[in-house]
Amino acid sequence: MISCLTKAGVVEGSSLFLLGDFSYSNPCLAHIIEGIMERAANRIIDANFNRAREASRVIEEYCRFALNSGPLTERAKKLRHELSASVGKLDAGRLIAGRDTLGDVGVGIKVDKQLTRGSLMDCCTAGCKRLTEALRALAEVIRIDNEPVAKEIEKLRYDAYTLEKDIVLFSDTSTKFKGVRLYIVITSNLPDEVFSLARECAAGGADCIQLRAKDIEDDRHFALAVELVKICKDAGVVSVINDRADIAVAAEADGVHLGQNDLPVEQARKLQLIPLIIGKSMHSLRQLNAACAEKPTYVSLGPVFPTATKPTAQAVGLEYINDVTKVLAGTGICHVAIGGITQDNVKEVLDAGAESIAVCSAVTKASDPAAACRAFKNKIETFGKD
Ligand code: TZP
Ligand code: MG
């Protein structure tokens, strides 16, 4: 099967030492060496096929059970199946015949920290590294005898790199956003007002604060964003900038919130220097598929009720919240319900299936914004426990 392997063979442990391109005077010896090298190649293919399959299964389980992301799970699964299909084109009998786990000299060899796994993400990262290493080893050895299959394996290696990147971006941003239950939108372009509100909301337990500054020059907008991000970072609160991906990136905010007429999610993502939380407004079921296809970190659903903060927008109602949150379950995309939410109606919104609540005027126009945040947070956190 792998005849050319013998050309540069160095066979240890069998008392045969050969270097260079030999023409064997003894056909019997040549035949033996050829067999030994073919077996070695089959062992490498068998071991790395198993390694790659197992690694892709770890990745798939992480996407499925930790990230709860259907699309990423599907990609990991597809990669595993394509790998099996490619290796399935080789001679399975020879591969398994070469297996010698007990005689494998590499089994007991360990290096420091090799097995360090501090989190599920570490398991996934280790799986991604192992997968691409195994795919590289597979392609190298398979190429000796079967260039078309080697090419398929190489393509899978590039798919694996892209999958790893998408998992890290998704994992980083959605993990950060998953902790957000109370999201405060500060609609103002006045520095003193923005900063004092941000401090009070952070003190009151807001998990995320969005700067929604309209009618403002870029330089002033940027300065507002920088200070807001600082306040949020100091308080351990997620910071989001409305409308402007460029300002969000330049101010090193955690995220940007995009409306239907803002930059598309994909283009905003291209600007990121670190994984950027990307939110997208969704006002109707009709926009659901398009919004999901863009793979934002979260979508905002609203306005749930009519609101003076966005007077031209049509209220979507509680049934819509119920419908959309059901569809979003299993996509890995988070959501916040927004629009006209007060302490009197927040329970209805949670009842309808919302897990996170975004509030503007009921907090920012309250006489004590920190106390208003505290009251909202308490209602959200105790929901379903009474
Ligand atoms: N998007 C949909 S409704 C809304 C936005 C920005 C405004 C929410 O403000 P409020 O005062 O909480 O109704
Ligand atoms: Mg906008």
Side-chain angles (χ1 to χ4, degrees):
M1 180 194 178
I2 299 181
S3 51
C4 42
L5 263 181
T6 55
K7 284 179 185 166
V10 177
V11 184
E12 286 184 47
S14 62
S15 45
L16 295 171
F17 292 87
L18 300 169
L19 286 168
D21 193 352
F22 287 86
S23 52
Y24 305 108
S25 50
N26 180 343
C28 184
L29 181 64
H31 189 70
I32 291 169
I33 294 166
E34 196 172 308
I36 290 169
M37 295 316 289
E38 182 184 321
R39 189 159 180 273
N42 286 335
R43 286 179 75 191
I44 295 172
I45 295 170
D46 181 54
N48 281 285
F49 174 45
N50 291 337
R51 194 173 282 142
R53 246 186 30 234
E54 289 157 10
S56 60
R57 178 62 92 163
V58 172
I59 298 165
E60 186 182 324
E61 303 296 47
Y62 179 75
C63 295
R64 181 175 171 185
F65 297 112
L67 299 183
N68 194 28
S69 165
L72 288 173
T73 306
E74 204 173 304
R75 280 170 62 189
K77 186 173 193 148
K78 185 163 170 276
L79 201 150
R80 192 160 47 79
H81 282 268
E82 286 178 0
L83 170 65
S84 295
S86 290
V87 175
K89 293 175 187 167
L90 307 177
D91 187 332
R94 281 172 186 262
L95 292 182
I96 199 90
R99 188 177 299 173
D100 179 13
T101 311
L102 292 177
D104 183 347
V105 295
V107 167
I109 299 174
K110 299 262 180 290
V111 292
D112 280 355
K113 301 204 177 124
Q114 187 176 332
L115 289 173
T116 303
R117 304 280 191 275
S119 65
L120 284 177
M121 184 61 205
D122 285 354
C123 300
C124 181
T125 303
C128 291
K129 303 298 175 217
R130 207 160 60 244
L131 174 61
T132 50
E133 282 166 15
L135 291 173
R136 165 69 88 163
L138 272 175
E140 292 288 339
V141 177
I142 292 172
R143 176 166 296 125
I144 297 170
D145 213 44
N146 195 329
E147 185 64 30
V149 172
K151 281 214 170 90
E152 291 176 14
I153 304 282
E154 275 299 85
K155 184 196 163 288
L156 292 180
R157 188 161 63 89
Y158 289 114
D159 289 349
Y161 288 132
T162 311
L163 180 62
E164 179 183 13
K165 178 189 164 191
D166 291 346
I167 290 172
V168 171
L169 289 180
F170 182 91
S171 179
D172 199 278
T173 52
S174 76
T175 304
K176 226 185 233 177
F177 198 81
K178 265 196 189 97
V180 172
R181 305 289 313 275
L182 179 61
Y183 180 130
I184 303 298
V185 180
I186 299 180
T187 303
S188 169
N189 57 20
L190 306 171
D192 289 348
E193 185 173 52
V194 170
F195 304 147
S196 70
L197 277 171
R199 286 191 194 93
E200 287 177 75
C201 292
D207 304 304
C208 175
I209 298 178
Q210 182 194 120
L211 172 64
R212 185 168 176 262
K214 304 282 183 185
D215 307 321
I216 181 170
E217 297 85 0
D218 284 2
D219 55 348
R220 287 181 53 229
H221 199 167
F222 173 65
L224 267 189
V226 167
E227 187 57 26
L228 178 104
V229 168
K230 186 177 177 311
I231 293 168
C232 287
K233 276 206 169 88
D234 289 348
V237 171
V238 174
S239 57
V240 171
I241 306 300
N242 190 31
D243 294 337
R244 298 286 297 269
D246 55 344
I247 291 181
V249 171
E252 296 180 24
D254 293 306
V256 61
H257 186 89
L258 303 166
Q260 287 288 321
N261 300 318
D262 293 323
L263 208 57
V265 171
E266 192 185 341
Q267 309 311 321
R269 196 160 269 139
K270 283 185 184 157
L271 301 178
Q272 70 193 350
L273 299 175
I274 51 165
L276 191 66
I277 290 171
I278 302 187
K280 178 96 184 184
S281 299
M282 243 188 65
H283 308 295
S284 68
L285 275 170
R286 198 178 46 79
Q287 292 170 352
L288 182 67
N289 288 339
C292 288
E294 285 197 292
K295 298 193 205 81
T297 315
Y298 73 94
V299 284
S300 68
L301 314 174
V304 186
F305 306 110
T307 171
T309 313
K310 209 165 183 176
T312 51
Q314 172 109 33
V316 293
L318 291 167
E319 208 173 311
Y320 167 85
I321 301 295
N322 196 267
D323 293 342
V324 177
T325 50
K326 278 194 188 123
V327 178
L328 287 173
T331 62
I333 299 172
C334 304
H335 65 262
V336 293
I338 186 168
I341 302 177
T342 63
Q343 291 185 41
D344 294 333
N345 62 25
V346 64
K347 190 171 170 307
E348 292 169 48
V349 186
L350 294 166
D351 262 330
E355 286 176 5
S356 306
I357 300 291
V359 178
C360 183
S361 51
V363 163
T364 60
K365 295 202 183 328
S367 55
D368 185 343
C373 279
R374 246 175 254 120
F376 268 112
K377 193 74 183 279
N378 184 43
K379 285 197 158 77
I380 295 167
E381 286 182 337
T382 56
F383 173 74
K385 290 186 181 151
D386 40 8

